[in-house]
Amino acid sequence: MSQDRPLSFEFFPTKTDAGHEKLMGVARQLAAYKPDFFSCTYGAGGSTRDRTLNTVLQLENEVNVPAAPHLSCVGDSKQDLRGLLDQYKAAGIKRIVALRGDLPSGMGMSSGELRHANDLVAFIRAETGDHFHIEVAAYPEMHPQARNFEDDLVNFARKANAGASSAITQYFFNADSYFYFVERVQKLGVNIPIVPGIMPITNYSKLARFSDACGAEIPRWVRKQLEAYGDDVKSIQAFGEEVITQMCERLLQGGAPGLHFYTLNQAEPSLAVWNNLKLSS
């Protein structure tokens, strides 16, 4: 299988200098595989705003891979968002991941002038025209706060119609959920590329907590096998690598336009899957 579709990697900004240096080392290691871009997350209510900005600029300028900052609207004023967009534009950033964002505890939903991701997409387009390639989030297994699946599909279509260029999904472990989601939104007239988000399996307890919080279903057979390994880290990682590789093969064979890896600031788990897929660098 040749790399005829783009791959990308996501990082989160670190809290310490040592963590940041480790992150930059991981980024340089992944850069050798010529990814399409690196994305960098943005904490609840913009809590990592400065760290996200600094990380993105360093990725863009020193690692020489296009960087895509996450930008959320909850908790930020239009003036704050406008200032960030101006900084990114001046720095030559060409891609943004536009999200509603999570609320810090104690912050009401009314915080910020823009309430929804489609509002943010429309705002970015109004402020910057076609300068940015705008990514939005997709939820093949439904956003955990959505009232129902039909509403969630309509919400996604609203983001696409507001001016999104493409989408990255929440991670999942069932390829059918991805294909069904794409089929359903296409029936709503949405034809932007929807790239599967891929979470390598390396630690079962952490994965279970993440998945319960974000609504990503771990299939029962995968859960039971991971539970059976207990504290056998090598077996967990080997099994996880096999499961994710097989899913990625099916996604690419089924027409997925690329893969976006949630690295958790580690290189090896994502590269193991990449190399198993025999994707050229």
Side-chain angles (χ1 to χ4, degrees), residues 249-264:
E249 286 177 339
R250 186 168 173 220
L251 289 167
L252 293 173
Q253 288 166 359
L259 299 172
H260 180 78
F261 287 90
Y262 296 109
T263 69
L264 301 182

Side-chain angles (χ1 to χ4, degrees), residues 67-233:
H70 287 209
L71 186 63
S72 62
C73 57
V74 168
D76 276 342
S77 67
K78 289 182 179 179
Q79 183 176 348
D80 290 336
L81 294 168
R82 189 175 291 117
L84 274 172
L85 290 171
D86 287 345
Q87 284 182 286
Y88 288 136
K89 192 172 179 180
I93 300 296
K94 293 294 184 68
R95 186 185 299 256
I96 281 180
V97 182
L99 309 164
R100 186 199 72 180
D102 297 322
L103 289 163
S105 59
M107 182 181 285
M109 273 304 296
S110 61
S111 180
E113 294 179 66
L114 303 176
R115 296 286 300 280
H116 304 288
N118 62 287
D119 298 326
L120 178 58
V121 173
F123 177 77
I124 295 171
R125 284 288 177 237
E127 292 290 321
T128 65
D130 292 330
H131 177 81
F132 292 108
H133 180 112
I134 302 177
E135 303 274 5
V136 292
Y139 296 86
E141 296 174 319
M142 197 178 84
H143 191 287
Q145 295 173 353
R147 288 187 299 179
N148 56 58
F149 195 49
E150 300 301 323
D151 276 2
D152 206 35
L153 293 169
V154 171
N155 287 337
F156 178 76
R158 193 175 291 123
K159 290 188 287 189
N161 294 334
S165 309
S166 56
I168 300 169
T169 76
Q170 174 62 273
Y171 71 86
F172 54 88
F173 300 107
N174 183 346
D176 286 333
S177 67
Y178 168 81
F179 292 125
Y180 183 67
F181 179 86
V182 171
E183 179 184 331
R184 292 294 301 278
V185 297
Q186 286 178 345
K187 289 179 179 177
L188 293 176
V190 175
N191 292 300
I192 63 173
I194 301 173
V195 175
I198 306 300
M199 177 70 81
I201 299 173
T202 59
N203 180 303
Y204 174 59
S205 58
K206 287 184 179 179
L207 181 68
R209 286 198 302 272
F210 277 148
S211 301
D212 290 342
C214 72
E217 181 184 1
I218 303 175
R220 177 179 169 82
W221 70 274
V222 174
R223 277 186 181 267
K224 291 302 180 183
Q225 185 62 71
L226 291 170
E227 288 170 0
Y229 288 132
D231 296 327
D232 185 350
V233 175

